Amino acid sequence: MSSTFYIIEKTVSRFTITSPACCLLMSGVRKVFMSNKEASIIFLPSGRRGRFPHGVTLLDAARALGEPIESTCGGHLLCGKCQVRMESGAFARFGVHSSPDHVSPPTEEELRWLPSPTPLRLACNARIQGDLVVFVPEHARMHRQTIRKVAGQRTIEVVPTIHQVYVELSPPTLADRRSDWERLAAGLAEQWNLKDVRIAYPALRSLQSALREGNWRVTAIIWDESLVIEVRPGYREGIWGLAVDVGSTTMAAYLCDLQTGDLLASHAMMNPQVAYGEDLMSRISYAAQNEEGLKKLHRAVIGAFNRLAGEAARKAEIGQEDIHEAVIVGNTTMMTLFLGLDPRSLGEAPFTLAHRDAMDWPASPLKLRLHPAANIHILPAIAGHVGADNVAALLAEEPETLSQPALIIDVG
Ligand code: FES
């Protein structure tokens, strides 16, 4: 006898899932035929647990429980990232006896991703055959923490707005004449539970060739779970982001690997607007009193941004057009000029801003030389002359976590 449903334990636990099995199937967990024997699976260190039929992969069990294991290829044995370790012995607190033998043996295809010898297994290729306590190492956890390498050592959680997913699609036939985009959108919904996703124009332009070149297997780069910004043939890794501080005197850029959180390169240069005035008020005056003043200041800072991005990309040995996202901070005058907005209201009380909230815009209208569908995120300002640079400092320094009052001083 076989069953097509997962059975999820209903014990009361912080992480135990109690949803009906049909919801899990609808939410993208792949349907497979399984034995009617069940096993208890406990993931550590989270403690998420549930009961699953023998034959289910550990990756599917993890997904059903909301256990965030890296799986950029979607369980196709192409990325080697879903590494887990089976614990051995009796675990009285969970009421199970766990053993590495309680999963199917590794295949040759799996072993090529793992060091030898190793206690690790790939969760997408290990099928449950008995009770298990499964440890998810730090490097295999999504949203893992990374040590920031500049401006002090600290741990940050890596949760990028952009991520990549691998999708396998069926080719069109006379009986299935869906458009290429309908086919990809359906694949994203079925295989990754990404629904109501749109496609950016630059991604649409490469969609047909990517699907055919990849034999209907593609890697999609998704922004904010809602917009496909790139489609690559086959399985290809790599998403990059740039953090830029537009200071009145100096501009600095930090290029990061958005999958690992690693800082790959940094570069700094003088803000070329200095030629139009040393301080903020003289630049506001220059913009107000010269017919082409605002245009010149705006062009100067955009040109500098592009040079910074190019230099950081060169150091990291990636293309400038590979940078998918940029986060930009600066004081309110710098951000106003960066966006090409009239700064005159910042030159006199009550110092009104054109826009105070966080913003997301495509990079292309500002002529930023990044990925053609890149997004720029601008942090919010607090008040007329308390800008996104202050917000960035607060986010980075986390004074709210300190037991004593803290003072942040930016000596510009
Ligand atoms: S999810 Fe990619 S190898 Fe397992």
Side-chain angles (χ1 to χ4, degrees):
M1 185 180 167
S2 63
S3 163
T4 56
F5 296 95
Y6 295 149
I7 300 158
I8 305 301
E9 195 173 49
K10 295 192 187 296
T11 52
V12 179
S13 155
R14 192 154 64 99
F15 293 115
T16 299
I17 297 285
T18 54
S19 325
C22 58
C23 292
L24 291 164
L25 290 172
M26 285 192 294
S27 66
V29 176
R30 284 174 299 164
K31 188 159 82 173
V32 290
F33 286 90
M34 293 161 289
S35 149
N36 59 352
K37 281 193 190 163
E38 287 175 25
S40 287
I41 307 298
I42 298 106
F43 288 98
L44 295 180
S46 72
R48 292 182 177 92
R49 62 183 300 170
R51 286 185 66 74
F52 296 88
H54 287 200
V56 172
T57 68
L58 284 175
L59 184 62
D60 279 344
R63 284 172 172 167
L65 292 170
E67 176 72 20
I69 294 180
E70 278 283 5
S71 59
T72 48
C73 76
H76 293 279
L77 275 176
L78 291 172
C79 69
K81 298 206 162 158
C82 57
Q83 299 181 2
V84 293
R85 188 181 72 217
M86 279 11 106
E87 302 294 9
S88 296
F91 289 78
R93 65 188 166 125
F94 302 129
V96 299
H97 186 280
S98 174
S99 164
D101 297 337
H102 291 181
V103 282
S104 56
T107 58
E108 264 181 40
E109 208 182 349
E110 176 184 345
L111 288 173
R112 77 191 165 95
W113 289 107
L114 300 170
S116 175
T118 179
L120 296 171
R121 291 291 310 273
L122 294 185
C124 67
N125 200 45
R127 293 192 179 275
I128 296 166
Q129 294 182 342
D131 292 344
L132 281 165
V133 174
V134 183
F135 182 77
V136 184
E138 174 77 29
H139 67 265
R141 286 177 218 155
M142 277 161 75
H143 308 170
R144 62 184 168 276
Q145 309 215 305
T146 191
I147 305 294
R148 205 174 62 175
K149 289 185 180 159
V150 288
Q153 294 279 314
R154 70 177 51 200
T155 304
I156 58 168
E157 199 178 352
V158 182
V159 191
T161 315
I162 292 182
H163 65 280
Q164 64 173 62
V165 295
Y166 173 73
V167 198
E168 294 193 349
L169 306 169
S170 54
T173 61
L174 283 176
D176 178 4
R177 300 183 200 194
R178 286 175 299 167
S179 69
D180 288 352
W181 168 240
E182 285 171 300
R183 202 170 296 279
L184 177 57
L188 291 171
E190 284 159 17
Q191 295 170 40
W192 291 95
N193 199 27
L194 288 164
K195 295 173 181 151
D196 302 322
V197 176
R198 296 171 296 116
I199 184 163
Y201 178 64
L204 179 61
R205 289 195 65 190
S206 63
L207 176 64
Q208 293 157 296
S209 58
L211 284 172
R212 285 157 183 85
E213 194 185 318
N215 199 20
W216 304 94
R217 294 167 183 179
V218 290
T219 303
I221 311 297
I222 317 274
W223 179 76
D224 203 22
E225 311 246 310
S226 61
L227 184 68
V228 175
I229 61 170
E230 185 180 338
V231 185
R232 299 171 179 160
Y235 178 76
R236 286 194 204 163
E237 283 195 20
I239 44 175
W240 295 278
L242 190 71
V244 178
D245 178 10
V246 184
S248 315
T249 311
T250 310
M251 294 173 63
Y254 304 88
L255 181 60
C256 299
D257 180 323
L258 292 182
Q259 285 181 296
T260 62
D262 288 343
L263 175 66
L264 303 177
S266 58
H267 193 66
M269 63 186 291
M270 288 285 285
N271 185 335
Q273 290 177 339
V274 169
Y276 303 99
E278 289 272 342
D279 57 76
L280 299 182
M281 284 306 160
S282 48
R283 284 184 220 172
I284 292 172
S285 302
Y286 185 85
Q289 291 165 7
N290 294 277
E291 201 183 327
E292 295 278 293
L294 172 58
K295 213 181 262 182
K296 283 184 187 165
L297 288 163
H298 175 62
R299 275 198 202 132
V301 72
I302 295 297
F305 176 100
N306 286 332
R307 288 196 292 283
L308 273 180
E311 194 53 33
R314 191 190 62 73
K315 286 181 183 173
E317 298 182 350
I318 65 166
Q320 190 167 346
E321 68 288 349
D322 290 327
I323 301 172
H324 295 100
E325 169 107 7
V327 175
I328 302 159
V329 300
N331 63 53
T332 51
T333 304
M334 287 303 101
M335 296 318 296
T336 298
L337 295 172
F338 185 88
L339 293 171
L341 303 175
D342 186 343
R344 278 178 294 183
S345 62
L346 290 171
E348 56 194 20
F351 308 114
T352 318
L353 288 163
H355 195 288
R356 200 169 62 134
D357 299 331
M359 290 177 263
D360 283 294
W361 299 105
S364 50
L366 282 170
K367 297 193 168 46
L368 302 178
R369 287 206 296 275
L370 302 172
H371 185 278
N375 175 72
I376 57 166
H377 180 77
I378 294 175
L379 263 58
I382 296 171
H385 281 287
V386 189
D389 49 352
N390 288 279
V391 175
L394 288 170
L395 287 171
E397 297 304 324
E398 300 176 325
E400 75 280 6
T401 62
L402 304 175
S403 55
Q404 298 291 321
L407 177 66
I408 296 175
I409 301 176
D410 177 5
V411 184

